[in-house]
Structures are given as structure tokens and as C-alpha cells.
Amino acid sequence: MSWINDKDLEAIRKQANIVDVISQYLTLEKKNKSYVALCPFHDDHNPSLNINTDKQIFKCFTCGTGGDVFGFVQKIENISFPEAVVKVAQMIGYQLDTPQNSFAPKVHKHQETFDLLQKYIKYTQYELVSQDGVLAMEYLRKRHINEDVIRRFEIGYVPNQKQATQYLLAQNLTDPKCGLLADGRAVFHDRITIPIHDENGHPLAFTARTLSTSKDVPKYINTAQTEIYEKGKVVFNYHRAKSFCRKNKRCILTEGAMDVLAFEKADIHESVACLGTAMTSTQLNLLKRLQVVITVCPVGVRQGQAATNKFIEMAVDNRIDTT
């Protein structure tokens, strides 16, 4: 990592609050001046991971794993140290100047679209804590979705259609690949938004829940198919859950994003969702790649059981263990 100079390394380390970074992966509990969490590096049932805010380090007093912010990201993502430095830099918006032919993440062909969608995510997060988002925040609190989960899943809110459309047009978020406009108007409005990512954590689309109680308003709507998003090729929360699945040797498969959030509230981080789609071969291959037992949690009665039976048939054919 000769291309990362000591000045940049120290600047990133100082600017990256270890609590903010780790909270993107784990639910933290404040304890005096420190924070504690269930350790993701061993089978932990009582919070034994301690995050020292003064020293900006973490330490598990059971398995002994510890280090700084780079060490945590390297360990939990199972990546190299240089990759961890780059990832942390991206998290805090730090620009790394890298010489030619040095190690650097390859720029994705849709990176510009990912950046636009991330910009939109920031907008929805801002609106959630604004005056317009009061009712949305009240709904999340009634569902016992805490601030850690809200931040980690980048949950947001979009106000009325006029405001939402004005924002999209003003910020040039009109690229069809983003899927945010239809007939010149905002697709999402008056809804709580939850971003959908690919297996590498790139934002692709959204699922959005209405706050309306009217039966004429669909409870959930998703981004329509775009150049970068096809629902049957994505497993919701896969990029966050994969390391926990491998650690716990299981993956909990459920139907929707809110079902995943229900597990998160209970500090269970290895759940994913197929977003209501019938299981496709692409989704099945993503699950197979985990090399763990898949625990199926159907939500509906008839449809849920039928989908479960179909998945089990596909899993057996593909030699995937299920429970």
C-alpha cells in the first residue's frame, strides 16, 4: 500500500469516527463513555465488543479481536488493508489521490448512476428528520425501528409529489437508470423509502411504504425495472448480511424489507429478502454462494407456503441445505 501516504492515512483515521463506521454494521449500545455490541467475530450472546471512543479502537474481551477503524472494516468485510482504507475513505467522503498503476478499486461502469442514487438517499434521510418527516419518524418508532437501524439501512422519507418532483428536476436526478421519475413526476412521494442494493453494496432501487391508510393506495411500491435494476436478480440486504451468514452458518430468507428490519430489531443480522418475487436462479445462486443453511420464513399463509415449497424444491436440486 505504498501509494497511500502517511498523511492521508492519518487524516482518514482522524476524520473517521469509529462509532459511526461500526454502527453501519452493528447495533450499538452506549455504556458510560464507550459503546458495546454483540461481537460479529464469534458466537456472542452477551455484548462483548467494546468500542472506545477516546482511543478510537474496538476490542472483544471474549475472542480477543481488536484494532482501529481500518482493522474492523478489513475483518468484517474480509478484504485487504488497502481496500479497507479505501472503503473507510469513501464512507467519510475523503478524496484519496492515487498515482497511476497503483491499487485502487475499479470504477464500475454505472458508478455515475450509483452516485446519483446515493445523492437521492441523502435527500430522503434529510427529509426524514425534517418537519415534513415527523409522521414518518413516528411510524418507525411505533414499529420500534431504532436510530441505528434507520442509519444502517439508510431509511428515508419523501414528501408530497410536488416537492419531490421539484427536487429531482433541480438536482438533475432525471436519468432513466435511476428510476425516480415517471411521466415527468416523482415516482415516490408521501412514503418511507428503503434503498435496495446489489451484492456489493451499490444502490440500485427503492422499496417505499405509504403512510396513507386509504385502501386505494398501495402499501408498498418498488422501483420499476431499469437498466441497472431487475428485481429477480437482487437479494435485499445481501451485502450487509453475507458476513453474518457465514459467521453464524445460516441465512434467514424472508419476503420483504420490513421483515428483514424485524430481525434487525432483535439484533439478528443474517436475514435477507427476495422482495416478494418468486425465487429466480440468479437469487438462488447468490444464496448458494454463502455456503450456509437457508432458514425459510414465509410470511403469507397460502402464498407463503407455496413459495416456500417451491424454494425448497429448487434448493434440493441445487444441493442447498434448508430448514
Side-chain angles (χ1 to χ4, degrees), residues 25 39-42 49 58 63-81 83-84 243-244 247:
Y25 298 93
C39 179
F41 308 120
H42 76 280
L49 189 78
F58 75 97
C63 70
T65 305
D68 62 6
V69 65
F70 302 132
F72 179 86
V73 173
Q74 181 183 2
K75 180 82 173 173
I76 200 164
E77 292 277 1
N78 193 27
I79 56 179
S80 68
F81 184 81
E83 288 174 308
S243 61
F244 295 100
K247 179 181 81 74

Side-chain angles (χ1 to χ4, degrees), residues 157-182:
Y157 172 72
V158 184
N160 65 69
Q161 192 169 59
K162 182 179 179 180
Q163 282 181 254
T165 302
Q166 286 176 342
Y167 174 81
L168 295 175
L169 296 176
Q171 297 298 320
N172 276 329
L173 291 168
T174 56
D175 189 330
K177 291 196 293 290
C178 293
L180 299 174
L181 282 170

Side-chain angles (χ1 to χ4, degrees), residues 138-154:
E138 284 181 5
Y139 170 82
L140 293 171
R141 285 171 179 158
K142 285 179 183 176
R143 296 289 296 263
H144 304 291
I145 298 172
N146 63 38
E147 291 182 7
D148 271 345
V149 174
I150 291 172
R151 180 171 57 251
R152 192 156 64 247
F153 281 77
E154 299 177 297

Side-chain angles (χ1 to χ4, degrees), residues 15-191:
Q15 292 179 36
N17 187 310
I18 195 169
V19 171
D20 292 340
V21 172
I22 293 181
S23 69
Q24 295 189 42
Y25 298 93
L26 308 175
T27 297
L28 307 184
E29 178 186 344
K30 190 166 177 54
K31 190 173 183 181
N32 299 322
K33 291 184 178 181
S34 301
Y35 288 81
V36 295
L38 292 174
C39 179
F41 308 120
H42 76 280
D43 189 15
D44 195 10
H45 299 285
N46 294 306
S48 57
L49 189 78
N50 184 275
I51 299 101
N52 187 309
T53 55
D54 292 332
K55 297 181 179 180
Q56 289 289 295
I57 59 173
F58 75 97
K59 176 75 174 180
C60 176
F61 294 113
T62 300
C63 70
T65 305
D68 62 6
V69 65
F70 302 132
F72 179 86
V73 173
Q74 181 183 2
K75 180 82 173 173
I76 200 164
E77 292 277 1
N78 193 27
I79 56 179
S80 68
F81 184 81
E83 288 174 308
V85 173
V86 171
K87 193 167 187 69
V88 173
Q90 290 172 338
M91 286 179 177
I92 65 172
Y94 186 94
Q95 288 294 118
L96 265 176
D97 294 324
T98 61
Q100 290 184 346
N101 302 320
S102 64
F103 169 85
K106 196 173 181 179
V107 177
H108 196 287
K109 66 178 181 179
H110 293 305
Q111 188 59 52
E112 187 175 342
T113 305
F114 298 152
D115 291 342
L116 288 173
L117 289 170
Q118 194 61 46
K119 182 178 182 179
Y120 181 73
I121 289 171
K122 294 295 183 187
Y123 162 69
T124 66
Q125 290 177 303
Y126 169 80
E127 289 292 349
L128 179 63
V129 295
S130 73
Q131 190 61 39
D132 288 332
V134 170
L135 292 179
M137 189 63 84
E138 284 181 5
Y139 170 82
L140 293 171
R141 285 171 179 158
K142 285 179 183 176
R143 296 289 296 263
H144 304 291
I145 298 172
N146 63 38
E147 291 182 7
D148 271 345
V149 174
I150 291 172
R151 180 171 57 251
R152 192 156 64 247
F153 281 77
E154 299 177 297
I155 298 172
Y157 172 72
V158 184
N160 65 69
Q161 192 169 59
K162 182 179 179 180
Q163 282 181 254
T165 302
Q166 286 176 342
Y167 174 81
L168 295 175
L169 296 176
Q171 297 298 320
N172 276 329
L173 291 168
T174 56
D175 189 330
K177 291 196 293 290
C178 293
L180 299 174
L181 282 170
D183 298 324
R185 303 173 74 185
V187 172
F188 304 111
H189 53 90
D190 304 293
R191 288 179 180 269

Side-chain angles (χ1 to χ4, degrees), residues 1-8 81-82 97-103:
M1 45 165 265
S2 58
W3 62 266
I4 304 178
N5 62 54
D6 292 339
K7 182 180 177 182
D8 278 333
F81 184 81
D97 294 324
T98 61
Q100 290 184 346
N101 302 320
S102 64
F103 169 85

